[in-house]
Short mmCIF file of all heavy atoms in Angstrom, two decimals:
data_model
loop_
_atom_site.label_atom_id
_atom_site.label_comp_id
_atom_site.label_asym_id
_atom_site.label_seq_id
_atom_site.Cartn_x
_atom_site.Cartn_y
_atom_site.Cartn_z
N THR E 1196 3.81 1.55 -1.36
CA THR E 1196 4.33 1.70 -2.73
C THR E 1196 3.27 2.25 -3.66
O THR E 1196 3.56 3.12 -4.50
CB THR E 1196 4.85 0.35 -3.27
OG1 THR E 1196 5.86 -0.15 -2.40
CG2 THR E 1196 5.40 0.48 -4.67
N GLN E 1198 0.70 4.19 -2.88
CA GLN E 1198 0.51 5.60 -2.57
C GLN E 1198 1.67 6.45 -3.08
O GLN E 1198 1.46 7.54 -3.60
CB GLN E 1198 0.31 5.80 -1.08
CG GLN E 1198 -0.96 5.16 -0.53
CD GLN E 1198 -2.20 5.63 -1.23
OE1 GLN E 1198 -2.41 6.82 -1.49
NE2 GLN E 1198 -3.07 4.68 -1.60
N ALA E 1205 0.70 11.79 -10.03
CA ALA E 1205 -0.03 13.07 -10.00
C ALA E 1205 0.86 14.18 -10.49
O ALA E 1205 0.43 15.04 -11.29
CB ALA E 1205 -0.52 13.34 -8.59
N ALA E 1272 -20.92 30.48 -1.79
CA ALA E 1272 -20.38 30.20 -3.11
C ALA E 1272 -18.94 30.75 -3.22
O ALA E 1272 -18.05 30.12 -3.76
CB ALA E 1272 -21.26 30.80 -4.20
N GLU E 1298 -8.15 16.65 -21.40
CA GLU E 1298 -7.49 16.05 -22.58
C GLU E 1298 -8.43 15.01 -23.22
O GLU E 1298 -8.18 13.82 -23.17
CB GLU E 1298 -6.17 15.42 -22.20
CG GLU E 1298 -5.12 16.45 -21.78
CD GLU E 1298 -3.80 15.82 -21.44
OE1 GLU E 1298 -3.73 14.58 -21.27
OE2 GLU E 1298 -2.83 16.57 -21.32
N SER E 1302 -10.13 10.32 -19.06
CA SER E 1302 -10.16 9.68 -17.76
C SER E 1302 -11.49 9.82 -17.02
O SER E 1302 -11.53 9.71 -15.83
CB SER E 1302 -9.02 10.27 -16.89
OG SER E 1302 -7.77 10.05 -17.50
N ARG E 1375 -18.07 42.28 -8.15
CA ARG E 1375 -18.49 43.68 -8.29
C ARG E 1375 -19.59 43.81 -9.33
O ARG E 1375 -20.43 44.71 -9.24
CB ARG E 1375 -17.30 44.55 -8.68
CG ARG E 1375 -16.30 44.78 -7.56
CD ARG E 1375 -15.12 45.59 -8.05
NE ARG E 1375 -14.13 45.78 -7.00
CZ ARG E 1375 -12.95 46.30 -7.18
NH1 ARG E 1375 -12.60 46.73 -8.41
NH2 ARG E 1375 -12.09 46.43 -6.20
N GLU E 1380 -25.97 45.11 -4.98
CA GLU E 1380 -25.33 46.15 -4.19
C GLU E 1380 -25.69 46.07 -2.71
O GLU E 1380 -24.86 46.32 -1.84
CB GLU E 1380 -25.69 47.52 -4.78
CG GLU E 1380 -24.92 48.66 -4.17
CD GLU E 1380 -25.18 49.98 -4.90
OE1 GLU E 1380 -25.54 49.93 -6.07
OE2 GLU E 1380 -25.07 51.02 -4.25
N LEU E 1407 -13.75 36.52 1.64
CA LEU E 1407 -14.76 36.84 0.66
C LEU E 1407 -14.37 38.09 -0.11
O LEU E 1407 -13.56 38.89 0.34
CB LEU E 1407 -16.10 37.02 1.38
CG LEU E 1407 -16.52 35.75 2.14
CD1 LEU E 1407 -17.70 35.99 3.01
CD2 LEU E 1407 -16.81 34.62 1.16
#
Side-chain angles (χ1 to χ4, degrees):
T1196 301
Q1198 294 305 314
E1298 293 182 346
S1302 300
R1375 288 177 182 172
E1380 188 173 334
L1407 301 170

